[in-house]
Amino acid sequence: MIPTLAAALPLWLTATTSAADMRESSQIDQLTDIVTVAATKRQNPEDLQTVPLAVTAFDEVALDALNVRDLEDLTFSVPNVSLDDIGTFRGHANFTIRGLGINSSIGSVDPAVGVFIDGVYLGINAGIVFDMFDLESVEILRGPQGTLFGRNTTGGAVLINTQNPTDTFEAKARVAVETPVGNDRGGINSFAMGTVSGPIIKGKLHGKFGAYLNRDEGYFENQFNGNDFGEATTSILRGGLEWKASETFTVLLKADYFDTEGDGNPSQNRGLFERDNFDLSLDEPGFIEAQAITASLRTDWQTRIGTFTNIYGYRDYQQDTLNDVDGTPIFSFNSDTQTEQEQFSSELRYATRWGRADIVLGTFYFDQDSAVNENRTFLLTDRVSVAQSTGGGRQDHTVTSIFGQVDYDLTTELTLIAGARWSREEKAATIAYVQGRPEPCDVLENTCAADDIATDGFRDRDEWQNISPKFGLQWTPDKTVNLYATFTRGFRSGGYNFRTTGPSAPLNLIAAQGGDIATDEEITNSYEIGMKLQTPDGRGQFNGAFFVMDVDDMQREVNVSDPEAGIAQVIVNTADATITGVEFEAQYRLFQDLLVTFNYGHLDAEYDSVRFDISTDGVVDDQDTQLAIPRVPENTYGASLIHEAHFGAQGTVVSRLSFQHRDRLAYTDSNFGFIQDIDALDFDVTWITPWDGLQLSVYGANMLDQVQAGGDSQIPFGGTTRLDGSIATTGPRSNGTNEVFGTNPAFGTISPLKKGRLIGLEATYRF
């Protein structure tokens, strides 16, 4: 990659003109301006370089420059961060930060990376990695955020802020088309979006309305019938109202409606196809249909003693799916699911500056009802008999918290940080085993029996109380240096498995967990030292952090190939582990018209002790402790060049070339499933035309056409040979052994694929 960047550099420099010829406000000027973040929840947003947090923030200019369509587009922009769509169900988040995340599409599994939209926490992972537009900023916080953001943020938090209504008239329209290049697969993917914002009653009431439409003809070719695969249509309607009752009292209402429908997941059976191609063959194309209504109501009241803020949040999510799980051109294993979720939350907080202290105090309440119904149809081991299983789960979930943090200036240079959050969580679950039944049942309609833990399922209730403290010191000897050291603790919720495939699983867990059916909370203690440096001339920034995280009662989903159920997924506290890492981010303005950025992340993760058979060989021994911890790439790194060429009356051309690498990583605890490494090369060339408000762009994503997948789970269905005639084997385990389909227990792995190389054209008009 270095020769590619070196070759591009002199070509761009030949187009550079003097600073005197620059437009008054260039894109590089905007990209290097002060970026403010709301991550500390203080009275006012703060300069990113002044906060004692490892946070990467993207404002509207940066998001546009990176052609961000959804959160997954930011995966290759931040060190030690993977914002992946698991792919089992489109839009299902599978986020990991600093090696803490999940590898599950089960509706009852809580995240390790919390996602907040306009301050509202999203309670389930479904429906998160879908199209986004009209964004003001995205903030990615790395490391546990348990004090200010609560549970399920042990890896970090992603804060998405949509645009507010404006007090002057503004409008923006954007259209784009993109297509695969260099192959015969796939069709056109088109986007159209627009927003209009401005005063309804000048100075008092402001409004905003936006609409978005995406039609994707599909990226892949289904070799089963030769048709394009991956078709999807997504539409979003968004509105906002801001009422300024006075100079000190403001009410902001935001709401949107989301709808998507399309093909099922693009599953590649890796016993039939090599891992370095986009081939797939599905006899069942499947489908997904999902709708969501999301709303937030924020009230800010500024008083003489501080600012009171209250954020109400509401979300209703519905999803139906059908997927070809086996990924083969013959019927082996299909599954359809129905998901319902409704949540309500309220956060009331108070922020003030009192003497030497910045104070944040708050309360939080969250209530969620969720349910998943699952139906499985599959061939038994005789490859003739067809079996059907139904089941799922329903859960009531409440959280109540009190939190506070004080940043006290011991001197003008040294600040003491102290905070804590007390939290009480309760879950009441009804689980119907996903198993064969005399008559199919429906969890959503309450027709599944769940009363006898030895046969049908179970009902259970559990609660957890904990305190998440934070302590630290920050030293800022001048405006160019910010050094900090912190200790933080975070909790990931315990809970239940909606996909329990028989009575043996909960009975075994009861024995392993001292009588409890629910898994225990996962506890993360993080020790971090960080720095944020700026050059005196303001041209460069360098941010870095070193951290050690002790993870107790690591909560994992262990995937096991099961000929009688297709896949058995057991959720259990498997181990204690230590994750050590470093990360750096830097940018430097080499010339007035050339900006260079760089990021690097390194993780070293190992088990301290293992108490569950994660290798699935029947015993707990050294082989378990030697396995790689899932979702932990050893290295991530990348660089980008952004250049502006000014052509006077003909406008300005802004060019971006970005490269990012992520190492290979284990996906399943047994290490049978893994995700290969990737080198992602992207570019964008934008012409800011002389016609006021008009921009035209050409861009490319994944130009090296690298294969990536959302997951890699083992299944008991494959073939004795691949389509090319070679022997079909799974990916190598950590100890280097391989298993062969058709002999021993027949199993393989299945991976939902992501898109490869794309070229796009985009036009934006602001007025």
Side-chain angles (χ1 to χ4, degrees):
M1 182 56 211
I2 293 176
T4 304
L5 293 177
L9 184 57
L11 293 177
W12 287 358
L13 290 179
T14 59
T16 305
T17 59
S18 66
D21 295 327
M22 290 180 60
R23 286 191 169 187
E24 184 176 347
S25 180
S26 70
Q27 188 173 97
I28 289 183
D29 284 336
Q30 297 176 65
L31 289 172
T32 54
D33 276 348
I34 293 175
V35 177
T36 60
V37 295
T40 58
K41 296 191 176 183
R42 292 186 182 178
Q43 284 180 284
N44 299 301
E46 297 182 276
D47 180 352
L48 171 67
Q49 291 300 110
T50 67
V51 298
L53 290 171
V55 54
T56 302
F58 303 88
D59 60 12
E60 181 185 9
V61 175
L63 294 170
D64 285 348
L66 293 170
N67 295 301
V68 173
R69 307 288 189 214
D70 60 44
L71 285 176
E72 195 169 15
D73 291 333
L74 294 174
T75 286
F76 299 113
S77 299
V78 187
N80 291 330
V81 171
S82 296
L83 304 180
D84 291 330
D85 181 337
I86 192 173
T88 307
F89 310 126
R90 286 183 56 245
H92 202 107
N94 201 27
F95 295 170
T96 301
I97 296 180
R98 291 183 173 178
L100 290 179
I102 63 172
N103 56 346
S104 178
S105 60
I106 298 175
S108 57
V109 172
D110 290 288
V113 177
V115 177
F116 299 77
I117 298 182
D118 293 322
V120 177
Y121 171 69
L122 301 185
I124 65 172
N125 295 312
I128 292 179
V129 194
F130 280 123
D131 307 46
M132 299 189 304
F133 78 112
D134 187 39
L135 296 183
E136 179 180 279
S137 66
V138 175
E139 302 171 27
I140 300 177
L141 285 59
R142 301 188 294 279
Q145 307 296 323
T147 302
L148 291 181
F149 291 93
R151 58 182 59 249
N152 301 328
T153 59
T154 49
V158 178
L159 314 183
I160 304 167
N161 303 302
T162 62
Q163 294 281 358
N164 293 337
T166 57
D167 56 7
T168 59
F169 177 79
E170 295 181 8
K172 180 172 73 172
R174 175 177 295 169
V175 294
V177 293
E178 58 188 35
T179 183
V181 174
N183 56 70
D184 296 329
R185 62 182 182 267
I188 297 296
N189 186 16
S190 59
F191 305 84
M193 61 201 84
T195 57
V196 59
S197 180
I200 299 174
I201 302 174
K202 192 168 182 62
K204 288 293 184 180
L205 185 64
H206 307 139
K208 181 193 72 171
F209 177 76
Y212 174 96
L213 178 64
N214 170 223
R215 288 180 175 169
D216 191 345
E217 296 178 355
Y219 182 86
F220 306 93
E221 178 188 354
N222 186 356
Q223 296 184 7
F224 176 76
N225 53 23
N227 294 337
D228 291 339
F229 187 84
E231 293 185 8
T233 299
T234 300
S235 57
I236 304 172
L237 297 176
R238 176 172 295 155
L241 284 174
E242 183 180 45
W243 176 43
K244 294 190 174 182
S246 67
E247 292 185 358
T248 60
F249 190 84
T250 304
V251 179
L252 177 60
L253 172 66
K254 293 182 179 180
D256 65 45
Y257 172 76
F258 167 88
D259 180 87
T260 189
E261 59 181 32
D263 291 338
N265 70 61
S267 300
Q268 183 187 73
N269 187 305
R270 292 187 156 178
L272 299 180
F273 299 100
E274 297 285 354
R275 290 177 175 265
D276 61 354
N277 62 53
F278 295 89
D279 295 338
L280 52 84
S281 183
L282 308 175
D283 65 299
E284 172 56 70
F287 67 85
I288 181 172
E289 298 175 353
Q291 299 84 34
I293 297 174
T294 307
S296 65
L297 180 66
R298 174 172 178 148
T299 303
D300 289 285
W301 182 29
Q302 298 178 9
T303 72
R304 293 181 179 178
I305 61 171
T307 299
F308 293 87
T309 299
N310 191 69
I311 302 175
Y312 289 99
Y314 174 80
R315 188 186 193 223
D316 181 271
Y317 183 77
Q318 311 283 330
Q319 175 182 282
D320 291 336
T321 71
L322 172 62
N323 284 313
D324 185 335
V325 180
D326 58 273
T328 67
I330 61 173
F331 166 72
S332 291
F333 182 11
N334 295 341
S335 175
D336 65 271
T337 66
Q338 299 80 41
T339 301
E340 294 181 353
Q341 181 243 5
E342 186 176 31
Q343 69 171 71
F344 167 82
S345 63
S346 177
E347 179 178 278
L348 173 63
R349 65 175 184 260
Y350 166 72
T352 189
R353 175 74 183 185
W354 186 54
R356 295 184 174 188
D358 278 298
I359 301 171
V360 177
L361 303 172
T363 64
F364 175 75
Y365 177 78
F366 174 84
D367 181 83
Q368 173 179 258
D369 296 323
S370 60
V372 174
N373 191 73
E374 181 164 338
N375 303 284
R376 299 182 179 186
T377 308
F378 52 91
L379 287 177
L380 295 177
T381 52
D382 61 13
R383 310 304 294 166
V384 176
S385 305
V386 177
Q388 185 174 30
S389 297
T390 62
R394 178 179 294 276
Q395 181 173 272
D396 296 330
H397 180 194
T398 59
V399 178
T400 304
S401 302
I402 301 172
F403 63 91
Q405 182 171 312
V406 177
D407 293 20
Y408 185 80
D409 295 334
L410 298 172
T411 69
T412 57
E413 299 177 353
L414 187 63
T415 300
L416 173 67
I417 303 166
R421 187 185 194 102
W422 172 86
S423 181
R424 179 184 180 276
E425 177 179 38
E426 183 175 358
K427 290 183 176 180
T430 300
I431 305 297
Y433 300 142
V434 181
Q435 63 182 10
R437 298 173 182 274
E439 294 292 336
C441 64
D442 191 326
V443 171
L444 304 187
E445 298 296 329
N446 292 313
T447 60
C448 286
D451 297 317
D452 187 350
I453 198 169
T455 57
D456 299 321
F458 62 89
R459 304 175 192 271
D460 192 54
R461 178 187 299 268
D462 211 332
E463 69 173 68
W464 301 265
Q465 295 187 40
N466 53 62
I467 295 178
S468 302
K470 179 174 183 175
F471 301 100
L473 287 172
Q474 181 183 18
W475 183 51
T476 53
D478 57 51
K479 293 182 179 180
T480 65
V481 178
N482 175 10
L483 305 178
Y484 64 89
T486 58
F487 163 79
T488 56
R489 175 177 296 163
F491 292 86
R492 180 164 163 246
S493 298
Y496 302 93
N497 181 5
F498 280 0
R499 228 177 255 170
T500 304
T501 52
S504 60
L507 290 173
N508 290 341
L509 291 180
I510 290 172
Q513 296 170 182
D516 287 336
I517 301 177
T519 53
D520 292 333
E521 293 178 309
E522 181 180 289
I523 306 169
T524 300
N525 292 313
S526 177
Y527 309 84
E528 180 173 339
I529 298 174
M531 68 180 76
K532 296 186 177 183
L533 310 176
Q534 302 180 70
T535 59
D537 58 7
R539 297 174 65 178
Q541 295 177 354
F542 179 87
N543 298 343
F546 168 78
F547 54 89
V548 177
M549 297 191 298
D550 294 327
V551 187
D552 296 333
D553 291 327
M554 182 172 279
Q555 186 186 136
R556 292 294 187 182
E557 174 192 320
V558 180
N559 288 288
V560 182
S561 172
D562 185 347
E564 301 303 321
I567 300 176
Q569 292 153 296
V570 180
I571 300 176
V572 63
N573 300 103
T574 60
D576 298 335
T578 299
I579 301 176
T580 304
V582 295
E583 56 200 21
F584 301 105
E585 293 181 289
Q587 68 176 39
Y588 192 77
R589 196 166 186 171
L590 285 173
F591 304 97
Q592 194 69 22
D593 296 326
L594 183 63
L595 178 67
V596 179
T597 71
F598 172 78
N599 68 79
Y600 173 75
H602 174 79
L603 295 172
D604 179 24
E606 59 182 27
Y607 291 113
D608 299 323
S609 62
V610 176
R611 49 188 173 275
F612 188 83
D613 177 26
I614 56 178
S615 67
T616 69
D617 63 355
V619 295
V620 179
D621 55 18
D622 289 343
Q623 182 168 316
D624 296 285
T625 59
Q626 292 170 6
L627 291 171
I629 297 177
R631 307 301 307 285
V632 185
E634 184 177 1
N635 296 292
T636 57
Y637 54 84
S640 66
L641 294 171
I642 302 172
H643 177 262
E644 288 185 340
H646 305 278
F647 298 101
Q650 282 70 49
T652 299
V653 175
V654 182
S655 305
R656 174 183 62 88
L657 182 65
S658 300
F659 170 80
Q660 192 78 18
H661 170 86
R662 183 176 69 188
D663 280 353
R664 166 176 159 154
L665 56 93
Y667 182 76
T668 58
D669 291 77
S670 64
N671 290 187
F672 276 102
F674 67 91
I675 304 296
Q676 60 263 51
D677 60 357
I678 184 173
D679 293 319
L681 180 66
D682 300 340
F683 78 88
D684 179 276
V685 179
T686 297
W687 177 30
I688 304 173
T689 73
W691 300 286
D692 191 29
L694 179 62
Q695 293 184 186
L696 302 175
S697 301
V698 57
Y699 61 90
N702 195 0
M703 295 306 295
L704 301 179
D705 211 25
Q706 299 273 286
V707 177
Q708 274 289 285
D712 194 37
S713 299
Q714 60 202 66
I715 56 172
F717 307 106
T720 55
T721 59
R722 296 191 179 93
L723 296 186
D724 62 5
S726 63
I727 297 297
T729 63
T730 68
R733 296 181 66 167
S734 295
N735 60 11
T737 64
N738 289 273
E739 297 286 350
V740 180
F741 288 106
T743 64
N744 300 324
F747 73 92
T749 61
I750 188 76
S751 292
L753 297 178
K754 301 178 185 293
K755 293 183 177 182
R757 184 190 296 117
L758 288 168
I759 294 289
L761 299 172
E762 181 180 271
T764 302
Y765 185 62
R766 300 173 184 266
F767 53 93

